[in-house]
Amino acid sequence: MSSLANQLVRAEKEEIARAIRTLLGRPLVSRHDDPAAFDLIRKRRGPLIQWFDYFCGWRLIVEPRQGYARLVKTGPPGPRTASRPARRRRTTRAPFDRRRYTLLCLCSAELLTSPVTTIGMLAQRVVQAAAVEPDVPAFDPVRNEERAAFVDAVKLLEHYGAVTAMDGVTDAYLGDEDAKVLYRVDTTRVIRLLAAPVPPSRVAAAPVPPSGAGAAPDGGTGAASAEAQGTGVPAELTAEARYGGDEPTGTQRTLWARHSLIRRLLDEPVVYRDELTPAQSAYAASLTGCRLLRRAAEEAGFVLEERAEGFLLVDPDAIATDTRFPDDGSHAKVAALLMLDLLVTSGPVTAERLDAEAARLLRRFPQWARAYQSDGGGPRLAADALEVLTQFGLARRSGDQVAALPAAARYRVERAVQEDS
């Protein structure tokens, strides 16, 4: 093969790897937000569709004319993915609460009825929908806090390209119920926002399925059903027929082991062996499993770290990373890094000691973390820092004890030792 042909093959592999990590970091990529990323995905959509289907069992939808690509990441959330909520697009970037999620769902349903609407018309349709939906609190746009929640839901839909403001700005509705904002609705994209193997319209009304319904073929552990119920997601929504349901074949069991393991590796900062199901552990220990894990990492441009305690995928370019650590983007992340050394060097400590350590940090730096510089600030800072460490798989709380996990060792502070001359 000529040198030019080698360069072309290498360039193609690099583009595919970059596109894979881009979609992992942003499952919805739009032409108007990132033309270069969308053009790359459109150009390599064939190999990308095959890669996600083979290694993850995920569906990739690329719509060149409508200008977006959607990676449908199905399956029940893992232990740490529930800590990645939708966030408000306003300055606070606070996570969505139950009310905002409810209004997001109501807005999405009502947007399917018309390609054009106004913010006032949409609000009134949500008022009517909430009034007839059982167990849904009434929506009152007269109240400021209700309008703020409604605006957060609409702005998130704007961010995803489901609606586009043709005249006016959504924020105007915060201070004026009669604000005029005209929207164009992309109904196809609204539908694509939902990532579920089974449409909600086909799910029984009961929120909790019978025991074993939707169970994954993972060697009888029922991981999909258990995880779905543990996060409040009806298991029927996450049941994937390709894995055989309650009576899978041997091939389907192996397929589920591969897909579920690689999904976790791609979605979670670190995967520990003691968190795996028996089927996942057996697959990871097999020659075929090891080979395919390494192949998946290589083709996606990751560095796979395999250790006795577990697995870690490292993205050298941080393209697939949705949040980082270490990072000085929040006081909680800074405090988490400072308290991590205590956990690594002192072994398991009590939650009370972490509270005291956080209070000590606040006294030492009185001009820092002003939001915590008040009564009870230490315990609040410690709780937020521990949430960060838990999310990144660096610490685990059991009762009143908090212990560092093996991945925390990479952040150990190396103290210089001065030798006598």
Side-chain angles (χ1 to χ4, degrees), residues 187-212:
T187 55
T188 302
R189 197 172 306 199
V190 173
I191 295 172
R192 295 296 189 203
L193 293 180
L194 183 64
V198 181
S201 59
R202 298 183 184 178
V203 175
V208 179
S211 176

Side-chain angles (χ1 to χ4, degrees), residues 61-278:
I61 301 167
V62 183
E63 297 285 358
R65 293 185 179 181
Q66 297 180 356
Y68 71 88
R70 174 70 163 116
L71 176 60
V72 184
K73 298 171 67 176
T74 55
R80 286 182 286 275
T81 53
S83 61
R84 299 171 186 167
R87 294 192 174 272
R88 308 174 199 182
R89 304 303 302 175
R90 291 186 287 156
T91 54
T92 62
R93 297 289 294 163
F96 266 39
D97 52 21
R98 185 181 183 88
R99 185 55 171 164
R100 283 166 171 78
Y101 279 122
T102 300
L103 293 176
L104 177 65
C105 293
L106 291 175
C107 287
S108 298
E110 296 304 320
L111 286 171
L112 295 176
T113 62
S114 175
V116 178
T117 190
T118 66
I119 197 166
M121 292 173 60
L122 179 59
Q124 287 305 310
R125 293 187 66 88
V126 170
V127 168
Q128 296 169 7
V132 299
E133 287 291 338
D135 302 323
V136 174
F139 173 58
D140 183 6
V142 175
R143 299 167 54 194
N144 291 338
E145 62 271 22
E146 287 280 82
R147 287 205 306 277
F150 177 77
V151 165
D152 287 331
V154 175
K155 286 180 71 68
L156 186 63
L157 290 168
E158 277 190 280
H159 171 67
Y160 290 136
V163 296
T164 303
M166 306 300 294
D167 186 24
V169 292
T170 304
D171 284 325
Y173 194 71
L174 287 169
D176 183 7
E177 183 187 353
D178 297 320
K180 307 298 182 185
V181 187
L182 177 66
Y183 296 109
R184 183 182 67 236
V185 183
D186 187 338
T187 55
T188 302
R189 197 172 306 199
V190 173
I191 295 172
R192 295 296 189 203
L193 293 180
L194 183 64
V198 181
S201 59
R202 298 183 184 178
V203 175
V208 179
S211 176
D218 57 354
T221 61
S225 179
E227 289 179 357
Q229 293 181 35
T231 55
V233 179
E236 294 98 325
L237 282 176
T238 62
E240 298 176 67
R242 70 189 298 178
Y243 303 119
D246 293 330
E247 299 181 358
T249 64
T251 300
Q252 289 170 326
R253 291 178 186 273
T254 302
L255 185 64
W256 168 250
R258 179 174 82 227
H259 287 172
S260 61
L261 177 58
I262 294 179
R263 287 177 185 182
R264 293 187 63 176
L265 281 171
L266 294 174
D267 262 350
E268 299 179 20
V270 59
V271 175
Y272 293 105
R273 294 184 188 272
D274 63 2
E275 296 176 343
L276 299 177
T277 67

Side-chain angles (χ1 to χ4, degrees), residues 79-80 261 264-265 268-277 280-281 284 307-312 340 389-396 403-411:
R80 286 182 286 275
L261 177 58
R264 293 187 63 176
L265 281 171
E268 299 179 20
V270 59
V271 175
Y272 293 105
R273 294 184 188 272
D274 63 2
E275 296 176 343
L276 299 177
T277 67
Q280 290 171 337
S281 295
R307 301 183 182 273
E309 301 84 4
F311 306 89
L312 175 68
L340 190 58
L389 295 176
T390 302
Q391 177 185 352
F392 282 92
L394 301 174
R396 181 182 295 160
L405 293 175
R410 64 175 53 230
Y411 301 102

